[in-house]
């Protein structure tokens, strides 16, 4: 079934239908414009990624249908630097109020500015995710004079803009001191926006301002390119300027008096445009943040996620949920369950057994209109690769041996990049006290304390290793030994008593092999340790 056939259950297709229809009404024959906006004021996190992925998926579907479509990504690098975050030299306080593009990058960064420092990892992540967009620097737009006519229009219509804003002021009868001006200059002397417009003449466009630093001047706004419109006017101005048809926004933008609501009332009367179709997107949560670096603001970024999961899996998380549905990105043990679910979906798709919405989400995850994303040739289960990476402490020779025994893998490139992601997860998100360390020598005290039943179970295990030396075979062996000891066949359904015996047998093996009661799945652990060493540690 094609994606187009799955419109009933596929949110991306539904939005694409709506956007194509709306674009034809607004600007027939013109390229369809979808938009996103990101502020590089700090780490651009996985919640911000939804701002980009939502229009990306819709724009990509529109392109697949043969329509010209551009996805604009505005970098709000002309926004003010608001505060010095924790961990940054307090001397950066002197830059508060400057454009993000004019603030030096954090100490130790190779980038030219604060904005570039935080844009760079996002740009790399979007490339890996296959997101095709046209980036726009708002610093370049404003300082080049691209918005000059729009700024003059906003200043000319300042009273009607103020009237809209007044309807949403928090206190009834609240008075705003002085005249209202929707434009704020950056000071020519200190470069900060600690300025106040004191006078403006519509005919000459002469604008006078004073700054908290003590500087003041009069400029001709028709020639002045060191300032910007306030956000609630800037956003609707861009909708009209770019002809945006589709742009999502977060929950915070949909409250009364928000830029989305106010902008919808300003964009037509002031700028002659229309507000885009704009779904509200929900929160993206995180599980397992204990290892996130404080230098990154304790906020996991797309780059962080792509270190531990493949790009199609991260795309899938955003594609399979409607924008209004929240979801979580796993950095803890849940990532193994997530990968199990992803692999199960891949098998369903291969068997033509996936539901339409599942099929559509999978298709959007693995390829874009430009072609397929990189994939692992032999998708060995993530939990297996993580266990192997854990037990071998990343020794590629050992990993190669185990994977050869496990699944006939001839070269590690067959299981990359998934293997590298699993290794990174083990290295960065599994605490040291939960890492697996195989014993160097037998636990003679424990072996000496065992009863005859336990010794016989270990003997049956060690004698059966060679015959069962595969993941499936070892699974049968470790579960089968307690069944055989209870007089049942190896493939018999276990009784409650046998289940208890299995748990006790597993705990014994873990103690003998890794000195703990639990660990990686036993069949994987046995393969990793190797038959000879298992016999040695189990007293065989």
């Amino acid at each position: 079934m094609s994606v187009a056939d799955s419109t009933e259950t596929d949110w991306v297709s539904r939005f694409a239908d709506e956007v194509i229809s709306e674009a034809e009404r607004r600007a027939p024959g013109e390229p369809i414009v979808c938009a996103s906006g990101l502020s590089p004021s700090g780490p651009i996190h996985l919640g911000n990624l939804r701002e980009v992925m939502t229009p990306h998926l819709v724009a990509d579907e529109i392109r697949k249908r043969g329509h010209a479509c551009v996805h604009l990504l505005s970098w709000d690098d002309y926004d003010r630097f608001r505060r010095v975050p924790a961990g940054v030299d307090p001397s950066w306080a002197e830059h508060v109020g400057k454009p993000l593009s004019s603030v030096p990058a954090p100490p130790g960064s190779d980038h030219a500015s604060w904005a570039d420092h935080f844009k760079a990892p996002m740009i790399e992540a979007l490339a890996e995710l296959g997101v095709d967009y046209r980036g726009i620097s708002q610093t370049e737009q404003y300082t080049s004079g691209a918005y000059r006519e729009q700024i003059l229009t906003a200043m000319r219509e300042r009273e009607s803009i103020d009237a809209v804003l007044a309807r949403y002021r928090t206190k009834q009868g609240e008075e705003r001191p002085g005249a209202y001006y929707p434009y704020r200059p950056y000071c020519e002397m200190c470069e900060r926006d600690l300025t106040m417009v004191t006078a403006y003449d519509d005919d000459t466009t002469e604008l006078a301002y004073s700054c908290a630093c003590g500087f003041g001047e009069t400029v001709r706004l028709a020639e002045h390119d060191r300032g910007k419109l306030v956000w609630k006017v800037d956003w609707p101005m861009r909708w009209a300027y770019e002809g945006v048809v589709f742009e999502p926004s977060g929950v915070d933008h949909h409250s009364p008096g928000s830029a989305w609501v106010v902008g919808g009332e300003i964009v037509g009367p002031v700028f002659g445009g229309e507000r885009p179709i704009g779904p509200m997107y929900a929160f993206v949560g995180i599980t397992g943040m204990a290892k996130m670096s404080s230098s990154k603001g304790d906020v996991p970024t797309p780059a962080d996620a792509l270190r531990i999961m493949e790009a199609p899996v991260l795309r899938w998380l955003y594609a399979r949920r409607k924008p209004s549905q929240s979801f979580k990105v796993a950095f803890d043990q849940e990532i193994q369950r997530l990968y199990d679910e992803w692999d199960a979906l891949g098998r369903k798709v291969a068997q033509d057994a996936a539901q339409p919405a599942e099929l559509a989400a999978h298709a959007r995850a693995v390829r874009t209109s430009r072609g397929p994303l990189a994939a692992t040739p032999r998708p060995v289960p993530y939990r297996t690769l993580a266990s192997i990476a854990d037990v071998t402490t990343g020794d590629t020779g050992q990993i190669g041996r185990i994977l050869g025994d496990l699944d006939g893998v001839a070269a590690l490139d067959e299981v990359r990049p998934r293997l590298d992601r699993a290794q990174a997860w083990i290295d960065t998100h599994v605490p040291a006290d939960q890492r697996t360390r195989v014993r160097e020598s037998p636990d003679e005290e424990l072996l000496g304390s065992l009863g005859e039943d336990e010794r016989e179970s270990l003997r049956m295990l060690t004698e059966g290793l060679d015959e069962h030396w595969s993941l499936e075979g070892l699974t049968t062996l470790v579960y089968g030994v307690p069944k055989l000891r209870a007089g049942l066949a190896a493939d018999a359904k276990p009784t409650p008593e046998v289940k208890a015996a299995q748990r006790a047998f597993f705990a014994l093996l873990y103690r003998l092999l890794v000195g703990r009661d639990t660990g990686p799945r036993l069949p994987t652990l046995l393969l990793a340790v190797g038959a000879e060493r298992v016999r040695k540690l189990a007293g065989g």
Side-chain angles (χ1 to χ4, degrees):
M1 177 179 288
S2 70
V3 171
D5 292 330
S6 63
T7 303
E8 286 299 310
T9 50
D10 174 19
W11 68 266
V12 179
S13 283
R14 289 202 305 273
F15 274 123
D17 291 341
E18 190 176 348
V19 171
I20 290 169
S21 175
E22 184 67 9
E24 184 61 27
R25 181 186 69 80
R26 294 188 186 188
E30 295 296 316
I32 299 171
V33 180
C34 300
S36 306
L38 293 174
S39 175
S41 58
I44 299 172
H45 54 71
L46 288 159
N48 302 138
L49 181 59
R50 203 165 203 181
E51 168 78 22
V52 180
M53 287 303 300
T54 303
H56 160 67
L57 292 165
V58 173
D60 202 59
E61 169 64 16
I62 291 170
R63 292 188 200 107
K64 287 176 181 175
R65 298 186 189 183
H67 298 272
C69 183
V70 61
H71 177 188
L72 301 179
L73 172 51
S74 278
W75 298 105
D76 290 322
D77 50 13
Y78 208 47
D79 286 359
R80 75 191 306 267
F81 181 56
R82 295 185 178 278
R83 61 182 179 81
V84 182
V88 174
D89 190 325
S91 68
W92 256 250
E94 69 181 87
H95 302 295
V96 170
K98 292 181 182 179
L100 295 168
S101 53
S102 297
V103 177
S109 172
D110 294 331
H111 296 283
S113 71
W114 189 274
D116 287 347
H117 175 79
F118 290 108
K119 283 164 66 173
M122 187 63 169
I123 289 170
E124 289 185 18
L126 292 178
E128 187 172 343
L129 286 164
V131 177
D132 186 21
Y133 65 92
R134 182 195 300 165
I136 298 175
S137 163
Q138 290 303 317
T139 296
E140 293 177 8
Q141 290 293 93
Y142 271 104
T143 59
S144 71
Y147 298 146
R148 190 173 290 154
E149 288 304 316
Q150 285 71 26
I151 291 169
L152 294 175
T153 297
M155 288 293 278
R156 192 164 54 247
E157 298 293 332
R158 58 189 178 275
E159 290 185 4
S160 61
I161 293 172
D162 190 35
V164 173
L165 295 173
R167 291 201 292 272
Y168 294 98
R169 292 204 174 103
T170 52
K171 297 177 183 176
Q172 288 296 323
E174 177 186 343
E175 293 293 331
R176 180 189 36 71
Y180 170 76
Y181 299 102
Y183 179 80
R184 172 167 286 186
Y186 280 110
C187 177
E188 183 68 25
M189 183 65 68
C190 71
E191 300 183 75
R192 297 178 293 174
D193 70 344
L194 309 179
T195 59
M196 182 172 66
V197 175
T198 55
Y200 180 69
D201 184 275
D202 286 304
D203 294 330
T204 64
T205 76
E206 285 190 351
L207 178 147
Y209 73 86
S210 60
C211 180
C213 75
F215 180 79
E217 66 173 340
T218 298
V219 299
R220 285 192 71 241
L221 191 54
E223 301 169 352
H224 185 257
D225 299 319
R226 286 286 302 171
K228 71 186 294 288
L229 293 171
V230 297
W231 171 237
K232 290 183 181 181
V233 182
D234 173 86
W235 200 12
M237 178 274 290
R238 289 193 230 165
W239 292 339
Y241 183 87
E242 304 289 0
V244 179
V245 181
F246 181 82
E247 182 172 5
S249 55
V251 175
D252 55 326
H253 286 305
H254 289 256
S255 58
S258 68
W260 178 263
V261 174
V262 171
E265 297 188 29
I266 291 173
V267 63
V270 175
F271 298 110
E274 295 183 63
R275 186 169 65 185
I277 295 168
M280 178 179 70
Y281 56 82
F283 181 71
V284 176
I286 305 295
T287 63
M289 286 183 59
K291 296 288 288 182
M292 297 311 296
S293 168
S294 60
S295 67
K296 296 174 183 170
D298 286 325
V299 184
T301 66
D304 293 320
L306 288 169
R307 290 186 188 99
I308 64 169
M309 68 178 70
E310 296 158 271
V313 178
L314 186 57
R315 285 177 62 91
W316 177 57
L317 292 176
Y318 290 81
R320 69 175 177 160
R321 294 282 184 261
K322 292 185 291 188
S324 59
Q325 295 176 310
S326 61
F327 65 88
K328 293 183 178 181
V329 180
F331 284 79
D332 57 8
Q333 297 283 343
E334 274 293 296
I335 194 172
Q336 299 184 2
R337 185 200 58 76
L338 170 69
Y339 255 92
D340 289 344
E341 192 178 348
W342 169 250
D343 288 343
L345 175 58
R347 290 190 293 271
K348 288 174 70 174
V349 170
Q351 297 161 7
D352 200 25
Q355 295 298 312
E358 293 177 320
L359 186 63
H362 184 271
R364 301 187 196 290
V366 300
R367 66 182 301 119
T368 71
S369 56
R370 288 186 177 270
L373 275 73
T376 299
R378 295 276 294 274
V380 173
Y382 188 96
R383 63 176 65 245
T384 300
L385 294 175
S387 294
I388 294 170
D390 180 23
V391 172
T392 62
T393 62
D395 184 307
T396 54
Q398 282 280 77
I399 292 171
R401 173 188 66 78
I402 296 163
L403 287 171
D405 288 343
L406 169 71
D407 203 20
V409 173
L412 293 186
D413 283 348
E414 295 180 21
V415 292
R416 286 184 165 131
R418 184 178 291 197
L419 170 63
D420 300 325
R421 302 299 185 269
Q423 180 72 62
W425 177 71
I426 286 290
D427 291 343
T428 59
H429 293 283
V430 178
D433 61 357
Q434 294 178 24
R435 298 287 298 271
T436 302
R437 296 288 179 265
V438 180
R439 292 184 58 90
E440 294 294 329
S441 59
D443 186 339
E444 300 293 357
E445 182 178 350
L446 176 56
L447 287 169
S449 70
L450 300 180
E452 185 56 37
D453 281 349
E454 292 168 312
R455 292 178 187 274
E456 179 60 20
S457 293
L458 291 175
R459 184 192 65 77
M460 293 173 66
L461 174 82
T462 56
E463 289 185 356
L465 289 177
D466 292 340
E467 181 184 349
H468 295 85
W469 198 249
S470 68
L471 191 62
E472 184 179 354
L474 289 172
T475 301
T476 299
L477 179 63
V478 296
Y479 281 90
V481 165
K483 294 180 185 177
L484 295 171
R485 295 287 298 142
L488 299 175
D491 59 355
K493 186 175 180 180
T495 63
E497 293 76 17
V498 167
K499 288 182 179 179
Q502 287 173 331
R503 288 193 293 271
F505 182 50
F506 297 167
L508 172 60
L509 288 175
Y510 283 126
R511 289 199 299 273
L512 289 170
L513 297 176
V514 299
R516 298 204 318 257
D517 288 339
T518 60
R521 291 188 68 241
L522 269 173
T524 306
L525 178 60
L526 294 173
L527 278 173
V529 174
E532 182 178 347
R533 196 172 176 192
V534 170
R535 292 190 184 96
K536 175 184 174 183
L537 295 175

